[in-house]
Amino acid sequence: DVMHFVESLPDRLENAPYDIFDRRYRETWATAMQTFHNNVEEIEDKTKNLIELSFKKLRSSEGAFDLVENFKNIQSRESINRQIHERYNDILVQYTRELEEVEKIFLE
Protein backbone atom coordinates (compact mmCIF):
# COMPACT_ATOMS: atom_id res chain seq x y z
CA ASP A 1 0.00 0.00 0.00
CA VAL A 2 1.50 3.32 -1.10
CA MET A 3 0.06 5.33 1.78
CA HIS A 4 1.61 3.00 4.37
CA PHE A 5 4.92 3.22 2.53
CA VAL A 6 4.76 7.05 2.56
CA GLU A 7 3.83 7.18 6.24
CA SER A 8 6.66 4.85 7.20
CA LEU A 9 9.41 6.82 5.42
CA PRO A 10 10.22 9.19 8.29
CA ASP A 11 10.16 6.33 10.81
CA ARG A 12 13.12 4.69 9.13
CA LEU A 13 15.22 7.80 9.63
CA GLU A 14 13.88 8.81 13.03
CA ASN A 15 14.45 5.36 14.48
CA ALA A 16 17.95 4.83 13.15
CA PRO A 17 19.86 2.44 15.43
CA TYR A 18 22.78 4.89 15.65
CA ASP A 19 23.41 8.51 16.49
CA ILE A 20 22.88 10.35 13.19
CA PHE A 21 25.03 13.24 14.43
CA ASP A 22 28.00 11.04 15.21
CA ARG A 23 30.58 11.46 12.44
CA ARG A 24 31.56 7.81 12.71
CA TYR A 25 28.21 6.95 11.10
CA ARG A 26 28.51 9.46 8.26
CA GLU A 27 28.62 6.76 5.56
CA THR A 28 25.76 4.86 7.15
CA TRP A 29 23.74 8.08 7.27
CA ALA A 30 24.57 8.87 3.63
CA THR A 31 23.37 5.40 2.65
CA ALA A 32 20.17 5.86 4.66
CA MET A 33 19.53 9.22 2.99
CA GLN A 34 20.15 7.75 -0.46
CA THR A 35 17.69 4.98 0.31
CA PHE A 36 15.20 7.60 1.50
CA HIS A 37 15.56 9.60 -1.73
CA ASN A 38 15.21 6.43 -3.80
CA ASN A 39 12.03 5.57 -1.92
CA VAL A 40 10.65 9.06 -2.52
CA GLU A 41 11.32 8.67 -6.25
CA GLU A 42 9.62 5.27 -6.22
CA ILE A 43 6.55 6.77 -4.55
CA GLU A 44 6.57 9.61 -7.05
CA ASP A 45 6.63 7.13 -9.95
CA LYS A 46 3.81 5.08 -8.43
CA THR A 47 1.77 8.25 -7.97
CA LYS A 48 2.32 9.28 -11.58
CA ASN A 49 1.26 5.82 -12.74
CA LEU A 50 -1.86 6.06 -10.59
CA ILE A 51 -2.71 9.42 -12.14
CA GLU A 52 -2.24 8.05 -15.66
CA LEU A 53 -4.30 4.95 -14.89
CA SER A 54 -7.06 7.07 -13.34
CA PHE A 55 -7.30 9.22 -16.45
CA LYS A 56 -7.44 6.22 -18.76
CA LYS A 57 -10.48 4.91 -16.89
CA LEU A 58 -12.47 8.15 -17.17
CA ARG A 59 -15.19 8.42 -19.78
CA SER A 60 -16.03 12.11 -19.69
CA SER A 61 -14.25 15.43 -19.63
CA GLU A 62 -16.29 16.41 -16.58
CA GLY A 63 -15.00 13.40 -14.62
CA ALA A 64 -11.45 14.14 -15.76
CA PHE A 65 -11.78 17.77 -14.72
CA ASP A 66 -13.08 16.76 -11.29
CA LEU A 67 -10.16 14.36 -10.89
CA VAL A 68 -7.63 17.06 -11.80
CA GLU A 69 -9.23 19.46 -9.35
CA ASN A 70 -9.05 16.83 -6.59
CA PHE A 71 -5.39 16.08 -7.32
CA LYS A 72 -4.63 19.79 -7.57
CA ASN A 73 -5.71 20.33 -3.98
CA ILE A 74 -3.24 17.74 -2.69
CA GLN A 75 0.17 19.03 -1.68
CA SER A 76 2.67 17.09 -3.77
CA ARG A 77 6.01 17.20 -5.51
CA GLU A 78 6.64 19.47 -8.48
CA SER A 79 6.80 16.68 -11.07
CA ILE A 80 3.41 15.36 -9.96
CA ASN A 81 1.91 18.86 -10.02
CA ARG A 82 3.29 19.32 -13.52
CA GLN A 83 1.78 16.03 -14.68
CA ILE A 84 -1.60 16.99 -13.24
CA HIS A 85 -1.43 20.40 -14.88
CA GLU A 86 -0.69 18.77 -18.25
CA ARG A 87 -3.98 16.88 -17.98
CA TYR A 88 -5.91 20.11 -18.62
CA ASN A 89 -4.97 19.88 -22.31
CA ASP A 90 -6.22 16.30 -22.45
CA ILE A 91 -9.47 17.39 -20.83
CA LEU A 92 -9.98 20.12 -23.41
CA VAL A 93 -9.36 17.67 -26.25
CA GLN A 94 -11.90 15.25 -24.74
CA TYR A 95 -14.39 18.06 -24.17
CA THR A 96 -14.07 19.13 -27.82
CA ARG A 97 -14.78 15.54 -28.92
CA GLU A 98 -17.83 15.42 -26.68
CA LEU A 99 -19.11 18.71 -28.11
CA GLU A 100 -18.61 17.44 -31.64
CA GLU A 101 -20.58 14.30 -30.81
CA VAL A 102 -23.43 16.36 -29.35
CA GLU A 103 -23.40 18.64 -32.37
CA LYS A 104 -23.57 15.65 -34.72
CA ILE A 105 -26.54 14.22 -32.82
CA PHE A 106 -28.24 17.62 -32.78
CA LEU A 107 -27.81 18.10 -36.55
CA GLU A 108 -29.21 14.67 -37.42
Side-chain angles (χ1 to χ4, degrees):
D1 177 44
V2 175
M3 286 303 296
H4 176 70
F5 191 55
V6 170
E7 291 169 354
S8 70
L9 275 178
D11 295 340
R12 297 174 193 166
L13 296 177
E14 291 170 355
N15 299 321
Y18 52 88
D19 180 3
I20 62 173
F21 299 108
D22 188 331
R23 291 180 191 254
R24 292 177 295 170
Y25 297 106
R26 187 169 69 192
E27 286 184 34
T28 305
W29 176 248
T31 301
M33 286 304 297
Q34 185 58 49
T35 300
F36 176 82
H37 289 295
N38 291 344
N39 289 335
V40 168
E41 286 182 22
E42 181 181 343
I43 291 168
E44 192 172 323
D45 290 341
K46 286 181 180 185
T47 303
K48 289 178 183 179
N49 289 335
L50 174 65
I51 292 168
E52 288 302 315
L53 183 63
S54 297
F55 273 93
K56 288 179 182 177
K57 291 182 177 182
L58 293 173
R59 301 193 188 281
S60 72
S61 58
E62 181 181 13
F65 182 77
D66 290 342
L67 184 63
V68 165
E69 289 296 301
N70 287 337
F71 274 118
K72 188 176 85 172
N73 293 326
I74 298 172
Q75 182 182 6
S76 57
R77 297 177 59 84
E78 181 59 33
S79 65
I80 294 171
N81 289 336
R82 192 171 37 255
Q83 183 182 15
I84 292 167
H85 185 72
E86 290 170 358
R87 294 296 136 233
Y88 283 111
N89 290 333
D90 297 338
I91 293 169
L92 290 174
V93 168
Q94 177 63 25
Y95 184 66
T96 301
R97 277 191 232 128
E98 291 171 15
L99 285 176
E100 289 169 353
E101 288 177 29
V102 170
E103 180 184 38
K104 188 173 112 180
I105 292 169
F106 182 75
L107 293 175
E108 290 179 352

